[in-house]
Amino acid sequence: MAVKKNAAKQPEVKGMSDTKRWIYGFALLFFALFLAVSVLSFFFFWKDDQSVTDWTHVFMSSKETVNEARVQNWGGKLGAVLAKTVVADGFGLFGLCIPAVLIIFSLRIMRFRPAMLRKSVRLTLILMILGSLTLGFLFRGNWEVFGTGLGGRHGISIAEWLVSVIGTIGTGLLLLLSIVLYAIYINRNTISMINRVGKGIVDNGRKVGEAVSTTAAGILSHEAKQTDDAKPETKSKKGKKEIDDDDPFIVRSADDDPPLYPGELIDDNGFTIVDRSGAPALPEEEPRPARTGKVEVDDAGFVITDMNAKTAPPPPEKDEDGFVIQYASGDEAEETPAPATGKTDIGTDTYTYPEPPVSATETACPPAQETQQFQPAPAYTAETPETSGAEAKDDAFVASVPNGLNIEERRDLTVERLPGDESLSDEEIESALYDPTLDLSSYQRPPIELLEDHSVEVSVTSEEIVENKNRIKETLENFGIKIDKIKATVGPTVTLYEIVQAPGVRISKIKNLEDDIAQSLAALGIRIIAPIPGKGTIGIEVPNKDKKIVSMYSIIKSVKFQESDYDIPVVLGKTIQDETFVIDLAKMPHLLVAGATGQGKSVGLNAIITSLLYKKHPSELKLVLVDPKKVELTLYSKLERHFLAKMPGEEDAIITDTHKVIYTLNSLCIEMDARYNLLRAAEVRKITEYNDKFIHRKLNPNKGHRFLPYIVVIIDEFADLIMTAGREIETPIARIAQLARAVGIHLVIATQRPTTNIITGVIKANFPARIAFRVTSMVDSRTIIDQPGANQLIGRGDMLVSTGNDLIRVQCAFVDTPEIERITEFIAGQRGYVGAYELPEYTPEGGGDTGAAGSKPNDLSQLDAMFEDVARFVVQNQQGSTSSIQRRFSIGYNRAGRLMDQLEMAGIVGKAEGSKPREVLIQDILSLEHIFKSLDNF
């Protein structure tokens, strides 16, 4: 009797009632708000409330505190003490994070689910600790705000300990690393931002280094030139006579540099002007020529000016390099001669340059009639003197040369380096692969916190397991079947009992006792698996008395789903072994879902869509949602700019009209053919190979190649479409099911009428993967999964998944409507594409149905009443498409298609080219009017 009482005892359900939740939640929320107000006021009045230092002041009577100053904190004495504990003795300025975390917890207790609950709490606590430690390290106790410092006692003490252990630099580097890791943890795009900033710093540093090097080289060259000008050197020659200090023909400088012989000057480029070292000495009896002027030499050493106005300038002379030297005479009326200019003709160009003022170091020059010859240095390259003023700007010569060409700048040549093309290393090329997610690089997948954990702590008791085992064994022994071994595996909704029969017992004998075992266990939905595939045992599945709800929250966060590398991962629920069941829709390649009304088909479809939203990026997946019931999939209409696909011109991305379903399925056939053409051009066999080539930039987008996202077509009620459209629906579905696997188009079809006229042989042949929810008869079970079993399920998400030869019992994951709303709102709130993914435009053969007047689209004798207006619109805009006609004239798709066919027959537009607008053959309105006149003859 005791055993029966324990077996009948209901398991206790852990958790708080709603009343307790609201009481605890409101209490915690009140305390959190009070603490937040106290902390905020402590930031302003901490100096005034320093008298309230500990908890003893809180409980002191008014008589004991009569002499104390009035507390300024908005939370009173209690608030001042709490704020001092949190801020001054705790985390300083970041102590405000504590009431923020308490507010989040209070809302969670009251069953409000803030977005990203766990992540928000985690990030807030890390920010509080890291911020307090950073402020404590930066300011220590130097700035005693709040009585201790900006970082609080916690931050200052830990910072001082870290400094004593790893030093100041080590502590700073550790904090910097922690801040960077924190930023990366918040947003994964931080890594790419750091890469861009680092690359910019390196590039700017290289440019600054080049500029500094160029400037330094120019300064050094200028200083060397000035040194050469200030300290001219003479070339000693053999046979040179002793220098006479009183000789007026010897050029001297103010710094007592070695003297130059008459007419001998050396410029900064190595030119020796009139080398007279070997010239014969003048006779002593001959008088020395009078000093008639001064000599002036410019930077390049070319201009020599005789300042005596009465002396005619010598004729122009030409040196060995072809330079022509023209001397200019001075102005006798002025003591300081005005700058004279000389002209040098080089080829056809004439350069005019000024005469610099005479310096104190210049001395008398030899007679003007003496010939002066220039002897350039061997390695010297002739340079043209610089000009000044406007002429310098006009005569500036700029040469743009590649970086690799070694050309140096000169006075007459300014060199500009061409940027050229940057070359990437193998590592950079690998990292520069095409990334389709960059179009929405800021997109974030929905956080797990948007889902609710519906699981309740319901466990199967040991008494229940033992009792069922004894009853199974007793029932089999009553029919003369001995059992050697029994093993139980407890699942979420059913428990699997694996039995090993004694030698000589036939399996069919046990299988025939299915109803007797169900009677003895008094349970609904007993299912016998004889034998279990891959095992030498017979399985008996017995429903648990208390079924466990498998929430979407628990399976989305599972490691098996998060780390799956499937192309299109779909998570359905949990198996009897309590393992997350994940399939790859790309390998199925299509999925048929069937079951009776109210057994969990719509929940199963929501689980499939939710798992796709949690795993795929909008650039990788597009959904075509067909909902003839008009209420099941409307929640996903918010995803139009991210995940949905539709035909051009359609207003609603969720397809509910049967005729539009026909057009959409045929449009998918056009998309399938276009994708096959791309695969053939790329010489690949499936979409994964094609996208891999495109990502590695082996396909040219200018030739029509593009990244191909997966397209998943989900039809909620297939039976209604078959009843209303029949073969028009079945034909394109059969084409897609047979051919579209290789190009990434997959079908998920659900129906509540698993009959042979709905699930035909063509459909079953192309849908090897099937999901069967509970049905009422064995015939329906055989129609779906080709064997009985679906009629023995217990409902409420209990399903059988057939993936070919294997048949697995799975408890479907439950996702509620509010969870779907939160997920869609989270995705819709992010930046998306301009619109939905456009499918190719489809025009039915013959232009669609006939109009109200019975006119045929190809009959030009019975044109549409809007034909001329539409033709003028197309010619004026030079663009023709059915969708643009729909939008411009507010007409339906069928009528717009007929008008487009009539325009083609009239020779106004060309033939259809898939999704591209038609070519307009008429270029002006005058030609169009001639066509109108010719059509009047029909």
Side-chain angles (χ1 to χ4, degrees):
M1 296 298 294
V3 175
K4 292 183 179 180
K5 289 183 180 180
N6 292 335
K9 184 179 180 181
Q10 296 292 333
E12 296 182 0
V13 179
K14 298 181 181 179
M16 294 186 295
S17 62
D18 290 339
T19 304
K20 290 183 179 180
R21 284 181 175 275
W22 281 94
I23 292 175
Y24 296 152
F26 266 118
L28 183 58
L29 180 62
F30 170 78
F31 175 74
L33 294 175
F34 176 79
L35 181 60
V37 171
S38 302
V39 170
L40 285 174
S41 61
F42 184 81
F43 292 158
F44 302 101
F45 305 116
W46 64 272
K47 286 186 178 180
D48 301 331
D49 297 340
Q50 286 185 349
S51 59
V52 183
T53 57
D54 51 26
W55 292 93
T56 58
H57 291 78
V58 177
F59 304 102
M60 293 176 64
S61 62
S62 57
K63 294 181 180 180
E64 294 174 338
T65 59
V66 67
N67 295 326
E68 295 183 359
R70 186 172 178 271
V71 176
Q72 300 294 324
N73 194 289
W74 300 335
K77 291 189 291 184
L78 179 60
V81 175
L82 284 174
K84 179 179 180 297
T85 304
V86 172
V87 179
D89 298 336
F91 302 95
L93 193 63
F94 288 89
L96 194 61
C97 297
I98 293 180
V101 172
L102 294 178
I103 291 175
I104 295 175
F105 277 132
S106 64
L107 294 176
R108 180 64 185 93
I109 292 175
M110 292 186 289
R111 289 196 180 276
F112 291 101
R113 296 188 64 84
M116 299 185 295
L117 171 66
R118 290 177 174 81
K119 188 175 181 180
S120 300
V121 173
R122 201 160 45 238
L123 291 176
T124 305
L125 294 177
I126 295 174
L127 176 65
M128 178 181 68
I129 298 173
L130 186 58
S132 171
L133 184 56
T134 303
L135 292 179
F137 172 72
L138 293 177
F139 298 100
R140 312 275 177 89
N142 299 331
W143 190 12
E144 295 186 355
V145 184
F146 312 138
T148 54
L150 280 175
R153 199 180 305 279
H154 162 268
I156 295 174
S157 58
I158 295 182
E160 290 177 349
W161 176 77
L162 284 175
V163 170
S164 65
V165 174
I166 59 177
T168 304
I169 298 178
T171 304
L173 293 176
L174 178 62
L175 291 176
L176 181 61
L177 175 63
S178 302
I179 293 173
V180 172
L181 294 178
Y182 181 76
I184 294 174
Y185 182 69
I186 292 177
N187 191 347
R188 61 177 182 177
N189 295 324
T190 305
I191 300 176
S192 59
M193 182 185 69
I194 294 175
N195 290 335
R196 290 195 299 269
V197 172
K199 185 177 180 181
I201 292 174
V202 172
D203 294 341
N204 293 333
R206 183 168 58 250
K207 293 178 181 178
V208 171
E210 292 176 356
V212 170
S213 301
T214 304
T215 305
I219 293 174
L220 293 176
S221 176
H222 182 67
E223 291 180 351
K225 181 181 68 176
Q226 289 182 345
T227 304
D228 292 341
D229 291 343
K231 297 180 180 181
E233 297 178 2
T234 59
K235 295 183 179 179
S236 60
K237 305 264 183 164
K238 291 183 179 181
K240 182 168 60 177
K241 73 174 186 177
E242 187 176 353
I243 299 174
D244 186 3
D245 293 339
D246 298 331
D247 191 349
F249 281 85
I250 298 177
V251 182
R252 300 180 183 276
S253 65
D255 299 331
D256 295 334
D257 291 334
L260 298 175
Y261 283 92
E264 186 176 75
L265 293 173
I266 298 176
D267 65 356
D268 56 342
N269 294 315
F271 272 73
T272 302
I273 304 175
V274 186
D275 185 3
R276 299 176 61 91
S277 59
L282 293 175
E284 294 183 359
E285 64 272 14
E286 291 184 5
R288 294 176 179 176
R291 296 169 61 181
T292 58
K294 296 182 179 179
V295 65
E296 181 176 346
V297 182
D298 69 348
D299 293 339
F302 290 142
V303 179
I304 302 176
T305 305
D306 186 0
M307 302 304 299
N308 189 357
K310 294 181 180 181
T311 305
E317 298 179 4
K318 185 179 292 186
D319 67 352
E320 296 178 356
D321 294 327
F323 280 87
V324 178
I325 302 176
Q326 174 68 48
Y327 299 94
S329 59
D331 190 355
E332 189 178 13
E334 297 181 1
E335 293 181 0
T336 303
T341 59
K343 293 185 178 179
T344 303
D345 295 333
I346 304 177
T348 59
D349 296 334
T350 301
Y351 297 94
T352 303
Y353 43 89
E355 176 184 321
V358 180
S359 61
T361 60
E362 292 175 344
T363 56
C365 65
Q369 64 271 15
E370 293 185 9
T371 302
Q372 302 183 16
Q373 297 181 353
F374 294 88
Q375 299 179 1
Y380 174 74
T381 302
E383 294 185 358
T384 305
E386 295 179 353
T387 60
S388 64
E391 295 185 10
K393 297 179 181 177
D394 296 339
D395 297 335
F397 179 60
V398 179
S400 299
V401 299
N403 272 326
L405 196 59
N406 187 16
I407 294 181
E408 298 180 355
E409 290 192 357
R410 304 183 343 186
R411 286 189 176 86
D412 60 339
L413 179 64
T414 301
V415 178
E416 287 186 357
R417 300 291 176 182
L418 295 174
D421 294 331
E422 295 184 2
S423 299
L424 299 178
S425 62
D426 294 339
E427 293 79 6
E428 291 174 329
I429 292 174
E430 190 68 23
S431 62
L433 299 179
Y434 173 77
D435 187 1
T437 63
L438 290 181
D439 293 338
L440 297 180
S441 58
S442 60
Y443 175 81
Q444 294 184 355
R445 291 178 174 83
I448 190 67
E449 287 79 8
L450 298 178
L451 298 171
E452 287 190 31
D453 189 2
H454 298 282
S455 59
V456 181
E457 295 298 331
V458 177
S459 59
V460 179
T461 61
S462 58
E463 291 82 1
E464 178 183 348
I465 297 174
V466 173
E467 183 181 0
N468 287 337
K469 185 262 295 183
N470 293 333
R471 288 184 177 180
I472 292 174
K473 189 175 181 180
E474 180 182 355
T475 302
L476 294 176
E477 288 179 351
N478 290 338
F479 290 92
I481 300 173
K482 294 184 178 180
I483 303 299
D484 290 345
K485 183 180 179 182
I486 296 182
K487 176 184 176 183
T489 302
V490 180
T493 55
V494 297
T495 299
L496 175 63
Y497 294 89
E498 298 182 44
I499 62 176
V500 178
Q501 73 275 27
V505 178
R506 301 174 64 89
I507 295 178
S508 59
K509 192 173 182 181
I510 300 177
K511 203 169 183 179
N512 293 332
L513 297 176
E514 184 174 344
D515 295 335
D516 299 288
I517 297 174
Q519 181 183 12
S520 64
L521 295 177
L524 175 66
I526 298 294
R527 176 170 171 262
I528 296 180
I529 310 171
I532 297 177
K535 295 183 179 181
T537 58
I538 298 174
I540 301 177
E541 294 176 347
V542 180
N544 300 329
K545 292 182 179 180
D546 297 291
K547 283 77 176 175
K548 179 181 179 182
I549 298 177
V550 177
S551 64
M552 199 72 187
Y553 172 84
S554 61
I555 62 174
I556 287 292
K557 66 183 294 187
S558 64
V559 177
K560 191 172 183 180
F561 175 73
Q562 292 294 336
E563 296 183 356
S564 64
D565 55 354
Y566 294 154
D567 293 329
I568 310 179
V570 174
V571 61
L572 296 176
K574 288 191 175 182
T575 62
I576 294 179
Q577 289 76 20
D578 203 32
E579 295 180 352
T580 302
F581 186 72
V582 184
I583 61 174
D584 187 3
L585 186 59
K587 294 181 179 179
M588 293 292 104
H590 310 289
L591 188 60
L592 175 64
V593 182
T597 303
Q599 302 303 317
K601 294 187 310 301
S602 297
V603 176
L605 292 181
N606 288 331
I608 293 173
I609 298 175
T610 302
S611 60
L612 294 176
L613 296 180
Y614 266 93
K615 199 65 177 177
K616 306 300 287 185
H617 189 273
S619 62
E620 302 170 339
L621 175 71
K622 299 300 175 184
L623 300 175
V624 177
L625 303 182
V626 179
D627 184 15
K629 292 190 288 188
K630 303 180 181 181
V631 294
E632 295 294 344
L633 303 178
T634 53
L635 292 173
Y636 300 101
S637 60
K638 301 175 184 177
L639 307 179
E640 179 176 346
R641 296 185 301 110
H642 295 82
F643 284 99
L644 299 189
K646 66 177 183 179
M647 290 185 60
E650 296 294 336
E651 295 182 0
D652 193 359
I654 309 297
I655 307 169
T656 57
D657 184 68
T658 304
H659 296 288
K660 292 182 180 180
V661 174
I662 298 173
Y663 296 150
T664 302
L665 292 175
N666 285 279
S667 175
L668 287 169
C669 292
I670 298 175
E671 174 73 12
M672 177 184 67
D673 295 335
R675 290 191 173 199
Y676 267 115
N677 291 332
L678 292 176
L679 264 63
R680 181 182 63 180
E683 298 180 350
V684 295
R685 299 190 342 182
K686 54 184 179 179
I687 186 174
T688 53
E689 297 175 358
Y690 178 87
N691 284 338
D692 184 68
K693 268 194 171 184
F694 190 84
I695 288 174
H696 286 81
R697 303 185 184 276
K698 297 179 181 179
L699 301 176
N700 189 358
N702 295 328
K703 295 183 179 180
H705 292 288
R706 53 192 169 92
F707 183 83
L708 301 179
Y710 287 98
I711 299 178
V712 178
V713 184
I714 299 178
I715 302 176
D716 184 34
E717 186 46 65
F718 182 63
D720 183 72
L721 298 179
I722 293 294
M723 292 175 62
T724 55
R727 192 164 185 81
E728 290 183 284
I729 290 288
E730 187 177 358
T731 300
I733 284 182
R735 281 203 68 208
I736 295 173
Q738 290 172 354
L739 302 174
R741 169 183 182 177
V743 293
I745 302 177
H746 304 275
L747 294 172
V748 178
I749 296 177
T751 180
Q752 63 183 4
R753 291 188 58 192
T755 57
T756 53
N757 62 334
I758 301 298
I759 306 177
T760 61
V762 176
I763 297 297
K764 291 178 65 175
N766 294 286
F767 285 77
R770 305 167 200 169
I771 296 178
F773 288 87
R774 185 187 179 192
V775 293
T776 56
S777 65
M778 186 184 299
V779 176
D780 292 342
S781 177
R782 291 184 180 275
T783 303
I784 302 171
I785 57 177
D786 297 327
Q787 58 181 298
N791 56 314
Q792 298 168 329
L793 300 176
I794 61 176
R796 297 186 62 185
D798 190 16
M799 61 185 181
L800 292 174
V801 181
S802 173
T803 57
N805 297 327
D806 297 333
L807 191 64
I808 304 173
R809 191 167 186 173
V810 179
Q811 177 62 39
C812 182
F814 176 70
V815 53
D816 203 359
T817 302
E819 301 173 70
I820 299 174
E821 290 179 349
R822 287 195 292 268
I823 294 172
T824 55
E825 288 174 359
F826 178 85
I827 297 176
Q830 304 184 55
R831 184 175 66 89
Y833 297 102
V834 178
Y837 181 84
E838 286 197 356
L839 299 173
E841 187 174 355
Y842 168 72
T843 302
E845 296 181 3
D849 299 330
T850 58
S855 61
K856 298 180 180 180
N858 295 338
D859 189 2
L860 294 180
S861 62
Q862 297 180 357
L863 296 175
D864 193 282
M866 301 179 65
F867 175 79
E868 293 189 2
D869 295 334
V870 172
R872 291 189 180 94
F873 168 75
V874 171
V875 173
Q876 288 174 355
N877 292 275
Q878 288 296 304
Q879 182 178 5
S881 65
T882 306
S883 59
S884 62
I885 296 175
Q886 282 184 269
R887 293 191 297 268
R888 176 64 178 82
F889 296 95
S890 301
I891 59 177
Y893 181 84
N894 292 342
R895 189 177 182 184
R898 290 194 300 270
L899 283 166
M900 185 59 68
D901 290 338
Q902 291 175 0
L903 292 174
E904 181 183 350
M905 291 295 298
I908 299 175
V909 299
K911 294 183 178 181
E913 299 179 2
S915 61
K916 297 181 180 179
R918 299 197 184 207
E919 180 185 2
V920 181
L921 304 178
I922 304 301
Q923 303 299 323
D924 53 74
I925 298 296
L926 183 60
S927 302
L928 182 63
E929 295 296 335
H930 288 300
I931 294 178
F932 290 161
K933 291 180 181 179
S934 63
L935 292 176
D936 293 338
N937 299 326
F938 281 92

